[in-house]
Amino acid sequence: VPEDDLSRSSHSNPGKSLVNGIKTNPASNSPKSSLSMPLGPPVYVDLAYIPNHCSGKNTDPEFFKRVRASYYVVSGNDAANGEPSRAVLDALLEGKSQWGENLQVTLIPTHDTEVTREWYQQTHEKQQELNIMVLASSSTVVMQDESFPACKIEF
């Protein structure tokens, strides 16, 4: 085999194995593997609903580091299923503490729950430090035979 052929084949293999290594990486099919991929810049939005009724199943501090909202809506009202989750409310504090900028954030609970009340009372100083306001409203909307609490949001 001529020397030129050997050098050509050795140059083509490193690139080839790297491509194959990426394609055949078994971790790439795992949902958690996306966490190891480089992340882009955070996303800034006016309003965000905390996923899954503020359940701890798929919302963690990383969500609040990446999705930076002026208003977060907490819609959970199912204590038996951990909605809203105290861990998610604490994750808001942890995530916001790493923003590096003290933007005003308003948390809008759609239901008055024991979890939300306790979290508010126990972390009030931290909320003030991080410029987080919890919006409470005693407004009620009445539609036909149904009534429910409501909050007015202005942008």
Side-chain angles (χ1 to χ4, degrees), residues 7 10-11 34 43 48 79 94-95 133 137 141 146-147 152:
S7 64
S10 66
H11 288 297
S34 62
V43 176
E94 184 181 334
M133 181 178 77
S137 174
V141 173
E146 189 178 6
S147 67
K152 181 178 180 182

Side-chain angles (χ1 to χ4, degrees), residues 31-119:
K32 300 239 179 212
S33 71
S34 62
L35 298 176
S36 64
M37 294 176 60
L39 299 173
V43 176
Y44 291 85
V45 296
D46 289 330
L47 177 73
Y49 278 78
I50 298 177
N52 205 23
H53 304 290
C54 197
S55 166
K57 293 175 187 166
N58 43 359
T59 305
D60 60 8
E62 191 63 32
F63 172 80
F64 296 105
K65 291 177 199 173
R66 307 274 305 127
V67 179
R68 299 180 182 186
S70 298
Y71 299 87
Y72 289 103
V73 176
V74 177
S75 64
N77 189 26
D78 185 356
N81 283 320
E83 299 169 2
S85 164
R86 170 68 189 252
V88 173
L89 297 172
D90 288 340
L92 167 63
L93 298 176
E94 184 181 334
K96 173 103 172 41
S97 71
Q98 297 184 28
W99 285 13
E101 49 195 331
N102 201 15
L103 300 174
Q104 169 78 46
V105 167
T106 303
L107 189 68
I108 306 168
T110 60
H111 296 88
D112 181 20
T113 66
E114 187 176 333
V115 169
T116 308
R117 279 194 308 268
E118 284 180 4
W119 176 83

